[in-house]
Amino acid sequence: MTRIDNEPAGAGSAVTVRGLVKHYGDTKALDGVDLDVREGTVMGVLGPNGAGKTTLVRILSTLLAPDAGRATVAGYDVVRQPRQLRRVIGLTGQYASVDEKLSGWENLYLIGRLLDLSRKDTRARADELLERFSLTEAARRPVGTYSGGMRRRLDLAASMIGRPAVLYLDEPTTGLDPRTRNEVWDEVKAMVGDGVTVLLTTQYMEEAEQLASELTVVDRGKVIAGGGIGELKARVGGRTLRVRPADPAHLRPLARALDELGITGLATTTVDAERGSVLVPVLSDEQLTAVIGAVTARGITLSSVVTELPSLDEVFLSLTGHPASAPQDARPADDREEVAV
């Protein structure tokens, strides 16, 4: 196995990337990307269209060659050992890539044989995955008759036929309804429970929070932040205080008192009448002290003060300077095709 020279391999690192660069003409899709994914975890890669997420996945799955930099996956070099690498990875792209003229079972059997599994093992594995992904009843039907959610589940099953050590999910829930999206999330969690390492690209903030143990944020081909979700939220520096008065009649006076402080941050002071509290952003301990001082000066008794970290959407906005893109199924079809780099 080829390891990256002059860099510690890192105990338990399934994916190691150093200085990855890729150009498309004058456009630099990747500009010196570094990345480490621990074994048996989900690394979420966030970024807007054109950030470089799909290019990164294509290089790590040997579909593209980098212009500079090095990467290993499961110990194999993506440039020097592509054939060995392809046997230990799985890939599910943004759109199901199964053959619509074949049945679900035939799709899985074909892929298993292409991976050099024996006929017996391929049949057993196809049956196992069809049952796992709730496709047994439709196993012999042409995939062209499947719903979008069924095709996506079959696509995931296809990526698992060879029992990959590392699985790439490139925006796997694109175009799915909420119920089917939750089903896919459950399957991804089950895969990780089986020891699979997952590299997930997504623009759904909820998806990242549901699945990823760590995040990498990319924008314009560069990694601009990385770490655990809580760590990234703390790094942004913003917090929100949920202040609840003991007397509900003091809710509006409390909001006016906090508004007069003129505190601004990742959000604005708002009243949550349903929960009987006021939300006020704070960016420092000094502002927190000012909030408590304003409440005390008005003689308002509080029943609770809770600190909340910013949402992942707010973190994304703070890091990139623009909000996360709309979900893929909310954009026009021609815009969806734009995810090429």
Side-chain angles (χ1 to χ4, degrees):
M1 294 184 183
T2 302
R3 291 206 178 275
I4 294 179
D5 301 326
N6 304 320
E7 288 288 351
S13 179
V15 179
T16 305
V17 175
R18 294 292 181 270
L20 216 56
V21 174
K22 182 64 181 179
H23 296 87
Y24 292 107
D26 294 333
T27 301
K28 187 173 285 188
L30 296 178
D31 189 6
V33 168
D34 292 338
L35 185 70
D36 290 283
V37 185
R38 293 181 292 112
E39 290 180 356
T41 66
V42 179
M43 167 65 78
V45 180
L46 301 178
N49 280 346
K53 305 186 303 298
T54 296
T55 294
L56 175 63
V57 169
R58 288 176 177 171
I59 289 174
L60 294 180
S61 54
T62 74
L63 298 176
L64 281 177
D67 294 324
R70 294 166 293 178
T72 60
V73 178
Y76 295 108
D77 186 280
V78 298
V79 174
R80 300 174 188 172
Q81 299 169 296
R83 293 184 65 184
Q84 298 96 315
L85 174 58
R86 290 171 193 149
R87 293 185 176 274
V88 297
I89 63 173
L91 170 63
T92 294
Q94 297 173 35
Y95 308 100
S97 57
V98 290
D99 191 319
E100 294 189 355
K101 294 182 179 179
L102 299 179
S103 69
W105 190 91
E106 288 169 336
N107 267 279
L108 297 188
Y109 184 82
L110 174 63
I111 294 171
R113 294 295 289 144
L114 288 173
L115 291 173
D116 291 333
L117 297 181
S118 69
R119 288 182 174 85
K120 179 181 178 180
D121 288 344
T122 302
R123 285 194 293 267
R125 185 63 172 156
D127 290 340
E128 173 192 343
L129 288 169
L130 288 165
E131 181 176 358
R132 176 172 175 174
F133 285 87
S134 302
L135 292 168
T136 302
E137 292 185 4
R140 302 294 176 174
R141 282 169 38 198
V143 172
T145 67
Y146 285 17
S147 68
M150 292 170 67
R151 293 187 194 191
R152 174 56 71 199
R153 294 202 303 275
L154 181 63
D155 206 32
L156 281 170
S159 71
M160 295 295 294
I161 195 80
R163 301 182 188 276
V166 178
L167 178 63
Y168 305 124
L169 300 178
D170 189 14
E171 306 203 24
T173 58
T174 293
L176 298 185
D177 62 84
R179 182 183 63 82
T180 306
R181 186 173 296 142
N182 287 333
E183 291 175 354
V184 171
W185 291 350
D186 288 341
E187 288 302 332
V188 173
K189 292 173 184 176
M191 293 173 190
V192 176
D194 290 340
V196 177
T197 301
V198 176
L199 180 69
L200 166 75
T201 75
T202 184
Q203 294 186 61
Y204 292 112
M205 298 298 105
E206 183 184 3
E207 183 162 84
E209 296 215 61
Q210 280 282 333
L211 299 177
S213 51
E214 293 186 84
L215 297 176
T216 294
V217 183
V218 294
D219 195 21
R220 297 180 177 87
K222 295 184 178 181
V223 173
I224 59 175
I229 293 176
E231 179 185 348
L232 286 177
K233 289 181 177 182
R235 187 182 304 177
V236 169
R239 290 171 289 173
T240 298
L241 291 183
R242 182 177 290 276
V243 185
R244 187 193 305 273
D247 184 349
H250 289 158
L251 187 60
R252 297 297 174 181
L254 173 61
R256 285 194 295 271
L258 297 180
D259 250 344
E260 290 171 3
L261 291 175
I263 293 176
T264 58
L266 296 177
T268 58
T269 300
T270 58
V271 175
D272 185 349
E274 184 176 344
R275 298 177 60 181
S277 57
V278 177
L279 301 176
V280 56
V282 292
L283 295 174
S284 65
D285 290 340
E286 289 75 16
Q287 289 185 343
L288 191 154
T289 301
V291 168
I292 301 302
V295 173
T296 302
R298 295 295 181 96
I300 299 174
T301 303
L302 302 179
S303 64
S304 66
V305 178
V306 179
T307 302
E308 299 175 352
L309 289 172
S311 71
L312 200 52
D313 283 292
E314 291 171 330
V315 171
F316 192 90
L317 174 61
S318 176
L319 292 172
T320 66
H322 46 76
S325 299
Q328 296 280 5
D329 49 342
R331 297 198 305 273
D334 56 349
D335 191 29
R336 296 178 206 167
E337 294 295 330
E338 199 175 15
V339 189
V341 298

